């Protein structure tokens, strides 16, 4: 057995041991919080309600060390071909100045190029905001539509919504789904004469984006005639395609093949954020991520927030065998954060082949899901508390509400919001036994008969783990840090699971089949070989279409 396998085995033994030690027992130790939390600037990772102790944490640290985390991290930051299946570097940190200042690729100073594109797209954003770039009739743009999907949508839409308090530019709209109901419901409420369209696609080959963009182009051309091009901008690595759509090069903002789609919000893909919130805010957002890059690269492993967070994920997934993680922001502005992390985490670490090309022999990335609190408390929290499966929860919240609303009522909303987050993490961890239930029912005036009848249903063990990510305020800076924390966590876990976190071959087959099946669905052309099940389904589609006239 090699040393890594030995550590895995020891972790399993620790898991067996920890099953008989409750969180109530662990948290009765006065030094628990101090020992099992880590602070970086005004951000805290509190993992004192995870089922870990010193023995567990030491073993997890040895695992990271044996997997050569430090060496792999330097390969990442040093610009090696970490995404080896696509022969690409992984350098989204360079977009926020988080790599070495003199990074050179193929003889070109990457940082200088990044800075020049950053200046260019921030300049354009400012000109849309302040009227430097006007509509064909010389008016200000009132609305901006971003057309993209996956990383070319989730990043800018999540961040724009998260920074709602900083949004003082034109209205923003995001079109991603190929479902015509989305695009037509947005277009019908907009005036093309005052609308700017940004097509965001790294490849400019994504079916959904191209189809949506061509629909939006028709809409623009109908309203503006030959001058439609003035209302277009693009973010892409495919300049040939943007030229074919007659998008003026001065409004095409490139990025590079070393920026993965799900890591691209820091690039010109963030243009909608910059248009909504302005140059200064966007730069603060980058600065937050840069600070997390530096922390990740330099802090010792035992105090390193992304490393610790990743190791807890390994513990949950591989030792305790919990297959899912609920990400619950107590912030309505972070409404889209769970969906964003879903792509980041699951597209990165949903892999079953090692870096050596053989099947992995342990589970990899968990299912990530979630919704903001307190809404989710009134939907699936029942399941989290009393369901038969255990799902660790990540609670994310800010001590202060967003700036801009000084009213006493707003402050009381925020107090209640975060009180709920704290209460839920406590309820998950400690539950309530029958005696506690009886006492509270008695205090509420229930009869002895009621107490006897209902207490089995109302009691629950707790012992369900959670981690809290707390920060002072959801500022652009803290949001940048938060996203970068997750990005680096994903990297560390990929190293430990020995997988390539930066490709996404699993999504390719479905795309190809959609192309192949299109003639049968659209034109009843069954000349392609189609399996019996799928052929039957397609015929049923035609039958339903025919019978509904
Ligand atoms: O779904 C696969 C994917 O390639 C994502 O990784 C990416 O974010 C999305 O499609 C959109 O790709 P593009 O920006 O090239 O249109």
């Amino acid at each position: 057995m090699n040393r890594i396998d030995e550590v895995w085995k020891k972790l399993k033994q620790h898991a067996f041991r920890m099953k008989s030690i409750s969180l109530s027992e662990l948290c009765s130790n006065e030094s628990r919080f101090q020992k099992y939390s880590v602070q970086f600037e005004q951000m805290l990772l509190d993992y004192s309600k995870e089922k870990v102790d010193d023995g567990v944490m030491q073993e997890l640290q040895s695992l990271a060390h044996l997997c050569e985390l430090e060496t792999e991290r330097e390969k990442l930051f040093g610009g090696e071909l970490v995404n080896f299946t696509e022969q690409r570097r992984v350098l989204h940190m360079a977009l926020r100045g988080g790599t070495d200042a003199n990074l050179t690729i193929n003889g070109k100073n990457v940082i200088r190029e990044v800075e020049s594109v950053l200046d260019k797209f921030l300049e354009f954003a400012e000109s849309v905001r302040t009227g430097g770039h006007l509509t064909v009739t010389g008016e200000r743009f009132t609305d901006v539509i971003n057309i993209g999907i996956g990383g070319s949508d989730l990043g800018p839409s999540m961040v724009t919504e998260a920074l709602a308090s900083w949004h003082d530019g034109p209205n923003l709209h995001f079109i991603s789904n190929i479902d015509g109901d989305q695009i037509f419901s947005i277009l019908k409420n907009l005036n093309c004469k005052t609308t700017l369209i940004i097509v965001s696609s790294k490849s400019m080959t994504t079916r959904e984006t191209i189809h949506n963009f061509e629909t939006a182009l028709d809409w623009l051309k109908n309203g503006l005639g030959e001058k439609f091009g003035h209302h277009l901008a693009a973010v892409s690595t495919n300049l040939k395609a943007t030229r074919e759509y007659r998008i003026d090069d001065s409004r095409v903002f490139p990025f590079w093949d070393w920026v993965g789609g799900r890591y691209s919000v820091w690039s010109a893909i963030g243009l909608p954020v910059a248009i909504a919130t302005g140059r200064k805010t966007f730069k603060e957002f980058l600065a937050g991520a840069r600070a997390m890059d530096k922390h990740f690269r330099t802090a010792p492993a035992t105090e390193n927030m992304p490393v610790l967070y990743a190791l807890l994920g390994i513990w949950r997934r591989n030792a305790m065998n919990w297959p899912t993680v609920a990400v619950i922001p107590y912030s309505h502005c972070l409404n889209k954060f769970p969906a964003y992390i879903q792509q980041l985490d699951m597209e990165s670490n949903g892999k079953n082949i090692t870096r050596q090309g053989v099947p992995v022999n342990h589970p990899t990335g968990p299912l990530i899901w979630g919704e903001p609190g307190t809404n989710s408390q009134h939907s699936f929290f029942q399941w989290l508390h009393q369901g038969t499966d255990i799902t660790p929860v990540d609670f994310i919240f800010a001590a202060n509400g967003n700036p801009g609303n000084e009213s006493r009522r707003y402050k009381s909303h925020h107090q209640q919001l975060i009180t709920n987050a704290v209460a839920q993490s406590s309820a998950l961890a400690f539950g309530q036994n029958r005696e506690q239930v009886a006492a509270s029912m008695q205090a509420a005036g229930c009869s002895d008969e009621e107490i006897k009848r209902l207490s089995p249903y109302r009691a629950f063990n707790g012992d369900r783990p959670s981690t809290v990510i707390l920060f002072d305020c959801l500022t652009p800076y803290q949001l940048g840090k938060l996203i970068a924390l997750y990005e680096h966590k994903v990297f560390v876990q990929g190293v430990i699971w020995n997988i390539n976190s930066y490709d996404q071959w699993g999504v390719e087959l479905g795309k190809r089949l959609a192309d192949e099946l299109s003639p049968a669905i659209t034109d009843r052309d069954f000349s392609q070989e189609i399996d019996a099940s799928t052929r039957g389904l397609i015929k049923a589609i035609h039958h339903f279409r025919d019978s509904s006239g």
Side-chain angles (χ1 to χ4, degrees):
M1 193 185 289
N2 70 30
R3 287 185 65 202
I4 295 181
D5 288 341
E6 271 170 35
V7 175
W8 280 123
K9 194 170 161 210
K10 281 196 199 150
L11 280 169
K12 294 257 156 81
Q13 288 162 353
H14 279 296
F16 185 73
R17 179 177 64 80
M18 292 308 286
K19 283 199 173 128
S20 58
I21 307 176
S22 70
L23 277 170
S24 303
E25 226 174 311
L26 292 170
C27 293
S28 64
N29 186 329
E30 281 305 316
S31 60
R32 176 86 190 164
F33 174 80
Q34 203 165 14
K35 210 162 173 197
Y36 297 103
S37 61
V38 60
Q39 187 173 338
F40 166 53
E41 298 177 346
Q42 291 299 301
M43 185 175 271
L44 178 89
L45 184 83
D46 167 19
Y47 57 102
S48 58
K49 291 191 184 72
E50 293 287 340
K51 296 227 1 172
V52 294
D53 65 3
D54 286 356
V56 171
M57 292 315 293
Q58 272 157 21
E59 219 60 68
L60 287 168
Q61 290 286 357
S62 325
L63 182 64
H65 186 67
L66 289 171
C67 293
E68 301 185 4
L69 177 61
E70 293 85 355
T71 315
E72 293 300 326
R73 185 176 56 199
E74 281 319 293
K75 283 189 196 163
L76 174 83
F77 279 90
E80 290 195 26
L81 296 173
V82 170
N83 177 2
F84 61 91
T85 56
E86 295 182 304
Q87 285 293 298
R88 287 178 184 168
R89 299 167 172 83
V90 178
L91 280 173
H92 45 274
M93 300 82 69
L95 300 167
R96 51 222 192 194
T99 48
D100 301 334
N102 58 1
L103 193 71
T104 300
I105 296 176
N106 301 334
K108 279 191 183 159
N109 183 321
V110 174
I111 302 298
R112 216 172 297 142
E113 249 189 272
V114 165
E115 276 170 5
S116 126
V117 176
L118 177 66
D119 283 348
K120 191 178 154 200
F121 83 79
L122 290 183
E123 192 58 50
F124 177 67
E126 287 305 317
S127 73
V128 173
R129 286 165 60 79
T130 56
H133 181 69
L134 292 168
T135 69
V136 283
T137 52
E139 292 171 74
R140 289 265 187 113
F141 285 100
T142 56
D143 294 88
V144 176
I145 303 176
N146 185 79
I147 299 179
I149 197 166
S152 301
D153 163 74
L154 281 165
S157 63
M158 183 277 282
V159 173
T160 304
E161 205 172 300
L163 299 180
S165 300
W166 282 262
H167 189 154
D168 55 4
N171 302 318
L172 260 281
H173 311 269
F174 292 89
I175 294 173
S176 52
N177 202 320
I178 200 158
D179 183 345
D181 283 328
Q182 188 188 28
I183 185 163
F184 283 97
S185 70
I186 290 177
L187 295 184
K188 86 170 180 229
N189 293 319
L190 295 180
N191 177 0
C192 67
K193 296 202 167 87
T194 53
T195 302
L196 176 79
I197 294 181
I198 305 169
V199 57
S200 291
S201 176
K202 183 174 169 183
S203 58
M204 282 296 278
T205 58
T206 307
R207 205 173 228 271
E208 292 92 331
T209 301
I210 296 306
H211 211 72
N212 277 325
F213 181 50
E214 289 179 352
T215 301
L217 272 183
D218 282 352
W219 176 76
L220 265 192
K221 284 179 187 168
N222 281 338
L224 300 176
E226 268 312 291
K227 291 189 176 162
F228 71 91
H230 198 72
H231 285 226
L232 292 178
V235 182
S236 185
T237 54
N238 186 347
L239 296 189
K240 187 168 167 279
T242 59
R243 282 180 189 146
E244 277 163 17
Y245 283 109
R246 292 177 39 205
I247 307 173
D248 196 288
D249 276 1
S250 65
R251 291 191 299 281
V252 176
F253 306 99
F255 59 117
W256 303 269
D257 73 352
W258 41 263
V259 183
R262 52 195 177 272
Y263 298 87
S264 63
V265 67
W266 322 99
S267 70
I269 289 288
L271 175 62
V273 179
I275 293 178
T277 66
R279 184 200 313 257
K280 183 170 168 281
T281 302
F282 196 81
K283 286 202 163 175
E284 282 167 17
F285 173 61
L286 297 182
R290 182 164 68 244
M292 186 55 83
D293 293 338
K294 188 165 175 220
H295 167 79
F296 173 53
R297 208 173 172 186
T298 56
T302 50
E303 291 157 32
N304 193 309
M305 203 177 271
V307 172
L308 288 166
Y309 191 26
L311 294 179
L312 290 167
I314 299 284
W315 168 250
R316 290 163 163 185
R317 180 76 175 112
N318 299 106
M320 301 303 274
N321 283 323
W322 295 322
T324 88
V325 173
V327 175
I328 314 289
Y330 274 69
S331 158
H332 214 75
C333 288
L334 288 176
N335 195 29
K336 289 197 174 141
F337 192 72
Y340 178 83
I341 296 301
Q342 224 165 27
Q343 188 201 12
L344 177 66
D345 205 302
M346 295 172 75
E347 200 165 53
S348 297
N349 283 341
K351 311 278 164 69
N352 59 12
I353 300 294
T354 67
R355 287 183 286 182
Q356 288 70 40
V358 295
V360 294
N361 57 10
H362 42 246
T364 59
L367 164 67
I368 307 286
W369 59 285
E371 281 288 324
T374 58
N375 289 5
S376 47
Q377 286 176 207
H378 300 273
S379 57
F380 54 74
F381 265 62
Q382 163 62 35
W383 182 87
L384 289 174
H385 287 293
Q386 286 191 313
T388 49
D389 293 282
I390 293 185
T391 287
V393 179
D394 290 348
F395 289 98
I396 301 167
F397 57 93
N400 298 304
N402 284 336
N405 192 337
E406 290 307 315
S407 82
R408 193 176 49 83
R409 291 292 307 172
Y410 176 73
K411 288 198 172 124
S412 82
H413 276 267
H414 195 74
Q415 301 292 4
Q416 290 202 32
L417 175 72
I418 65 174
T419 304
N420 270 280
V422 176
Q424 289 297 329
S425 74
S426 221
L428 283 166
F430 310 124
Q432 56 178 350
N433 60 31
R434 287 200 191 186
E435 290 72 47
Q436 290 165 320
V437 171
S440 73
M441 287 180 80
Q442 222 154 32
C446 297
S447 69
D448 286 351
E449 186 278 327
E450 271 177 316
I451 296 174
K452 189 161 177 252
R453 185 163 50 85
L454 292 178
S455 56
Y457 301 99
R458 295 177 69 153
F460 52 106
N461 286 342
D463 212 29
R464 297 185 175 211
S466 65
T467 284
V468 171
I469 301 171
L470 168 71
F471 36 89
D472 54 352
C473 181
L474 184 60
T475 57
Y477 184 83
Q478 294 291 33
L479 182 65
K481 267 165 66 183
L482 180 67
I483 301 173
L485 165 67
Y486 273 90
E487 286 178 352
H488 294 316
K489 177 210 85 138
V490 164
F491 165 77
V492 174
Q493 293 182 332
V495 168
I496 292 176
W497 286 322
N498 188 21
I499 54 180
N500 178 2
S501 302
Y502 300 102
D503 57 13
Q504 57 284 316
W505 299 106
V507 297
E508 294 306 321
L509 175 61
K511 291 183 191 173
R512 203 190 78 213
L513 287 180
D515 284 340
E516 287 175 17
L517 294 172
S518 180
I521 295 176
T522 313
D523 304 321
R524 299 175 197 242
D525 170 355
F526 286 90
S527 53
Q528 295 259 9
E529 197 179 311
I530 301 176
D531 72 274
S533 160
T534 310
R535 197 172 56 244
L537 177 62
I538 296 174
K539 289 197 166 161
I541 293 171
H542 291 306
H543 175 70
F544 277 27
R545 269 191 202 153
D546 294 344
S547 51
S548 60

